[in-house]
Amino acid sequence: MSHKEESEEKKCSHQTELYIDVPSTCLPIVYSPEYNITFMGLEKLHPFDAGKWGKVIHFLKEEQFIKDEDIVMAREATEEDLLVVHTKRYLSKLKNHILEGSREWSLVVATITEIPPLLFLPNFLVQRKVLRPLRTQTGGTIMAGKLAVDRGWAINVGGGFHHCSSDKGGGFCAYADITLAIKFLFDRMEGVAKATIIDLDAHQGNGHERDFLDDRRVYIMDVYNRYIYPGDGYAKRAIKRKVELDWGTEDVEYLQKVELHSEGALNEVRPDVIIYNAGTDILDGDPLGGLAISPQGIIKRDEIIFQAARRRGIPILMVTSGGYQKKTARIIADSILNLRRKGLIGGEAVDEAGPSLVPLMMNKSLSSRETLNII
């Protein structure tokens, strides 16, 4: 795209409430209580902890890192916002329901979220209790994209729906928030012309890969368990740096690969922004991820990525993505607190001695995992 075409595209951008001016007193941490999915206990039928986002905030408050007034309140992405990436046909599918007598069947949403009983709930409830929280998290990712460029870093405590593309959802991902955040930045932020996605969720990020398959402005690095969902061979063509892991991969091997390849990716192409998909489903014992990374390994992983970004002066947006055990919220909070202690977020950077891996205890290998379809 030429500079003239890019300028014209920016002029044509729709009015949005997601690119608001944020008071300088706020930290670039985006969240809303609307993120959490709780209704009639049905959320417990899925391994995903649908209240983990609120728990992360609770732990950060408990440690006196943030107060309510420090948080940037996420706003729900409107249909016009979503149409920047999504097709009208796809968004209509999410609204559609099958009428049978007086009953409404929310088939598409039940399929995407893998909570079959949603099929039998009134459609208006599904829209309000499932899709609205996901739209709010999506709005949060878009908002955090602008904040990252403005402030140098941002964290959306939710988001990371990397299995959703412009015309198809899956694996608990109904909206393509990563694609949307990048498109918004390209359209609206001067000086943002290249982006790198570093996807470290245990699953392949086939949604954003499909969306950016032919877009040279976006460099994708993806590190995932090669044996689990989604196994999308077509989408893999978009990955510029592909790291396929085996069952039960442990801390030392994992962290060496993350550091080696993140350094390589950022040396190969210097982006204007990094979108970091920081899934915690790599944790040992996760029922879906099939890897064996310790809590300390996850904390060190996030430090490696933020350190690489800070050393190069590249803005970074982090989204939390998958992670299904009850203890993952605590680990996410501990990781954010570690980033603050290391001076990688929140204040001036501490003196940096360059990347180094702390020797970590090797974990027991996992012999087998269920391979359900999930973030």
Side-chain angles (χ1 to χ4, degrees):
M1 182 184 291
S2 71
H3 181 70
K4 184 177 178 182
E5 288 172 326
E6 191 176 341
S7 298
E8 287 300 315
E9 190 173 339
K10 288 181 195 292
K11 287 178 188 174
C12 296
S13 298
H14 72 280
Q15 292 295 316
T16 182
E17 293 188 1
L18 300 179
Y19 267 30
I20 57 171
D21 289 326
V22 172
S24 59
T25 52
C26 290
L27 285 169
I29 293 177
V30 184
Y31 169 73
S32 166
E34 293 291 324
Y35 283 13
N36 302 292
I37 300 172
T38 51
F39 61 104
M40 297 183 286
L42 282 178
E43 70 279 0
K44 294 175 184 173
L45 297 175
H46 195 285
F48 192 88
D49 179 4
K52 77 172 182 179
W53 309 285
K55 292 173 189 172
V56 172
I57 293 295
H58 169 76
F59 292 135
L60 293 177
K61 287 180 180 175
E62 203 172 55
E63 297 292 334
Q64 301 183 329
F65 175 50
I66 56 171
K67 301 184 291 292
D68 282 332
E69 56 266 31
D70 299 325
I71 299 167
V72 178
M73 191 60 62
R75 299 187 178 197
E76 181 183 349
T78 65
E79 182 153 342
E80 200 170 16
D81 294 326
L82 297 170
L83 284 169
V84 168
V85 165
H86 288 294
T87 63
K88 286 186 178 180
R89 181 171 174 270
Y90 174 68
L91 294 180
S92 294
K93 274 187 185 179
L94 292 180
K95 295 176 191 172
N96 283 352
H97 51 271
I98 303 165
L99 287 173
E100 187 175 294
S102 61
R103 298 301 301 272
E104 298 176 310
W105 307 75
S106 303
L107 179 61
V108 174
V109 180
T111 303
I112 289 171
T113 58
E114 297 166 1
I115 304 176
L118 291 185
L119 191 63
F120 306 107
L121 286 180
N123 188 258
F124 78 90
L125 261 184
V126 172
Q127 297 295 320
R128 184 187 307 158
K129 294 290 191 176
V130 179
L131 290 182
R132 183 185 291 169
L134 299 183
R135 283 194 299 271
T136 306
Q137 291 193 41
T138 297
T141 300
I142 295 168
M143 294 170 72
K146 179 179 186 296
L147 278 168
V149 173
D150 287 342
R151 306 278 189 90
W153 66 276
I155 296 170
N156 180 18
V157 174
F161 305 131
H162 66 158
H163 295 312
C164 187
S165 60
S166 63
D167 60 356
K168 188 178 181 183
F172 209 80
C173 303
Y175 302 105
D177 68 318
I178 292 173
T179 307
L180 279 158
I182 293 172
K183 294 275 193 183
F184 265 70
L185 288 171
F186 285 167
D187 291 352
R188 294 169 183 269
M189 297 294 283
E190 292 296 332
V192 181
K194 289 185 293 183
T196 289
I197 299 169
I198 297 179
D199 194 335
L200 301 188
D201 186 274
H203 301 77
Q204 177 200 350
N206 61 322
H208 58 72
E209 287 161 11
R210 283 176 170 262
D211 286 334
F212 291 120
L213 194 60
D214 299 313
D215 195 329
R216 293 182 180 178
R217 299 173 296 175
V218 180
Y219 182 107
I220 298 174
M221 167 180 156
D222 201 347
V223 182
Y224 55 88
N225 184 337
R226 70 175 77 217
Y227 299 111
I228 61 175
Y229 176 86
D232 189 337
Y234 178 77
K236 285 180 186 180
R237 294 164 51 202
I239 305 172
K240 301 295 192 299
R241 191 170 283 259
K242 178 173 61 179
V243 184
E244 296 188 319
L245 304 173
D246 291 320
W247 292 111
T249 297
E250 299 170 347
D251 287 21
V252 172
E253 178 189 350
Y254 179 77
L255 291 173
Q256 286 172 345
K257 286 182 173 177
V258 165
E259 184 166 34
L260 173 69
H261 289 287
S262 58
E263 289 291 320
L266 295 174
N267 288 340
E268 191 175 331
V269 174
R270 183 186 174 87
D272 301 309
V273 65
I274 296 166
I275 291 78
Y276 171 38
N277 197 44
T280 45
D281 51 359
I282 64 170
L283 181 65
D284 188 11
D286 189 278
L288 308 179
L291 304 176
I293 310 305
S294 71
Q296 295 78 15
I298 291 174
I299 291 166
K300 185 62 186 177
R301 175 200 68 173
D302 295 349
E303 182 184 325
I304 288 168
I305 301 303
F306 270 78
Q307 192 176 63
R310 176 62 77 104
R311 194 183 310 113
R312 293 169 173 81
I314 303 170
I316 182 168
L317 157 61
M318 171 175 155
V319 290
T320 57
S321 202
Y324 313 104
Q325 299 182 73
K326 296 297 182 186
K327 55 188 172 184
T328 56
R330 178 78 250 184
I331 295 167
I332 293 167
D334 285 345
S335 180
I336 293 170
L337 292 167
N338 178 64
L339 294 173
R340 177 65 186 96
R341 278 194 300 272
K342 295 294 172 71
L344 295 169
I345 64 172
E348 293 303 314
V350 294
D351 292 334
E352 291 165 17
S356 62
L357 292 178
V358 176
L360 295 160
M361 291 291 288
M362 298 291 278
N363 298 311
K364 291 181 181 178
S365 297
L366 305 180
S367 58
S368 63
R369 295 288 186 206
E370 294 178 50
T371 55
L372 300 180
N373 302 348
I374 190 67
I375 290 177

